[in-house]
Amino acid sequence: MIDNMNPINQVSSSIQARVVRPWQQKHFEKTKYGKGISQYKDKHAGRRCFIVANGPSLRPEDLDLLHDCGEITFGMNRIYKLFDQTSWRPTYYVCEDELIAQSQQAEINAIKVEAKFIPIELKWWHRASIQDACYFHLNYNEQERYPFSFSTDIAHQLDCRGTVTFSCMQLAAYMGFTEIYLLGVDHNYRVTIDINGNTVTDPTQKDYFCEGYDADIKDSVVHDMGNNTRAYMDAKAYCDSTGGKTTIYNATRGGKLEVFQRVDFDSLFRREG
C-alpha cells in the first residue's frame, strides 16, 4: 500500500500529475498503453461489425442471431444486464463513463471479451480498476476537431463527444471494419437536450432495454442529444471522406437517429427456407 502521507510519495504523485501524465497524454502512442492499442490497427480490415447500444429497442433474440452468426460486436456500459437473456457476448467492451466504471467494477471485470477499452483518465483520475483493460487517451480539446471530430489514430487519442457509441465508431474504423452497423441506438430518452439546447421531456419514452438500468446515477446524467447528433454527423462526415471505404448504417429497430442510412436488421442475414 502506498503511504500518501509520506512526503516522498506526495512529491512523486505531484510530479506524476504535473509532468509525467501530461506528457503521456500528448504522446500516448509512445506509452505502453498506446502501443497496446496499436495492435488493433486494421485487425478486422474489410469485415463488418455491429455496435450494440442499450436502447429500449434492443432485443435478446437479435443478440442471439448475432451470436449464432458469429458476428463481431461491440458492447458498452451496462450491457451485461441483458446477459441472462441471451447466449450472446460482445467481442469488445467499451466504457468511458466514470460513474459506471467506479460503481460497477466487479460487473465489468466479470465480462469475458477479447478486449475491454477504457480511457486512461478513468484509471488516473477516477481510480477505476478494470482488469485487463486496454487503455486509450480521451481528447477533450475541441480546437483539434477540424474539419470534423473523428480520430483515425486511436493509439494517439480518441475524440470524446460525450457518447460512448461515438467512441465505438472510432474504434471500429481504426480496426478496419468497412461496414459498421448500429443496433439499439434509439437516440432518445425521457428527458433530453435537443440540438437547439432546449430541454425536452417525453414521459412515454423508455430510456433503456430494462427498467432500473441506471437507477443509481439517473439523477446525475442529462442526455444531450444535440451534442450526440453533432458527433454522429462528424462520424458520417468521416465516412464520406473515405469514399466508401468505411460506412456506418443504422440497423436499429425504430428510434430517432436519422444521420446514417437506415437498413433492415433482418435483411443482413441469410436465412434458409
Side-chain angles (χ1 to χ4, degrees):
M1 178 181 294
I2 297 177
D3 181 5
N4 290 324
M5 298 302 293
N6 188 316
I8 294 177
N9 290 333
Q10 290 179 344
V11 170
S12 176
S13 296
S14 177
I15 292 174
Q16 284 279 339
R18 291 185 297 104
V19 180
V20 178
R21 287 176 179 171
W23 184 92
Q24 289 177 319
Q25 287 176 310
K26 188 175 181 179
H27 306 281
F28 199 73
E29 70 281 359
K30 297 180 181 179
T31 69
K32 64 179 181 180
Y33 307 114
K35 292 176 181 178
I37 288 283
S38 66
Q39 68 179 304
Y40 293 96
K41 175 66 175 176
D42 292 330
K43 180 175 180 177
H44 300 291
R47 298 193 64 180
R48 76 177 187 179
C49 71
F50 290 78
I51 294 175
V52 179
N54 301 326
S57 66
L58 192 61
R59 298 180 179 181
E61 53 267 35
D62 290 342
L63 299 180
D64 287 336
L65 181 57
L66 293 175
H67 172 267
D68 294 343
C69 293
E71 299 288 348
I72 301 174
T73 59
F74 291 79
M76 61 190 76
N77 292 345
R78 301 183 197 230
I79 187 63
Y80 52 81
K81 285 183 174 287
L82 203 60
F83 285 177
D84 63 344
Q85 300 179 51
T86 176
S87 298
W88 169 86
R89 296 295 183 269
T91 313
Y92 300 107
Y93 173 81
V94 188
C95 179
E96 61 185 48
D97 187 312
E98 65 269 21
L99 297 177
I100 294 176
Q102 285 178 326
S103 65
Q104 307 295 304
Q105 291 183 32
E107 290 83 355
I108 295 173
N109 286 336
I111 301 173
K112 303 301 182 183
V113 291
E114 185 169 323
K116 299 171 187 174
F117 294 100
I118 308 292
I120 192 65
E121 286 76 13
L122 297 192
K123 172 182 173 69
W124 286 345
W125 312 122
H126 300 283
R127 298 185 179 182
S129 179
I130 307 302
Q131 296 173 2
D132 302 320
C134 192
Y135 289 108
F136 58 84
H137 161 49
L138 276 179
N139 171 43
Y140 298 90
N141 189 350
E142 294 193 19
Q143 294 180 352
E144 296 180 7
R145 298 170 180 166
Y146 178 84
F148 46 74
S149 171
F150 196 93
S151 177
T152 57
D153 186 3
I154 306 301
H156 174 59
Q157 68 180 34
L158 189 150
D159 290 347
C160 180
R161 298 294 293 277
T163 162
V164 67
T165 304
F166 181 73
S167 298
C168 290
M169 293 175 185
Q170 295 174 82
L171 285 163
Y174 183 73
M175 291 182 182
F177 291 104
T178 55
E179 296 179 4
I180 301 170
Y181 294 93
L182 308 179
L183 184 65
V185 186
D186 290 69
H187 199 57
N188 193 34
Y189 298 86
R190 288 188 178 95
V191 181
T192 63
I193 299 174
D194 67 18
I195 201 164
N196 298 313
N198 301 313
T199 299
V200 179
T201 301
D202 181 0
T204 66
Q205 177 63 34
K206 184 178 178 181
D207 287 348
Y208 297 102
F209 57 74
C210 69
E211 294 296 333
Y213 174 96
D214 63 343
D216 56 331
I217 64 172
K218 65 179 181 179
D219 294 332
S220 304
V221 177
V222 177
H223 298 282
D224 189 340
M225 305 314 294
N227 180 63
N228 289 5
T229 298
R230 287 186 287 271
Y232 297 151
M233 290 172 67
D234 275 5
K236 176 67 163 53
Y238 165 76
C239 290
D240 292 345
S241 75
T242 69
K245 178 181 177 182
T246 303
T247 306
I248 299 174
Y249 300 96
N250 185 7
T252 298
R253 296 185 184 278
K256 295 187 176 182
L257 179 60
E258 304 300 341
V259 173
F260 307 102
Q261 178 182 337
R262 289 268 191 175
V263 296
D264 177 69
F265 178 79
D266 297 308
S267 70
L268 301 173
F269 305 91
R270 294 182 178 179
R271 300 176 186 267
E272 298 297 332

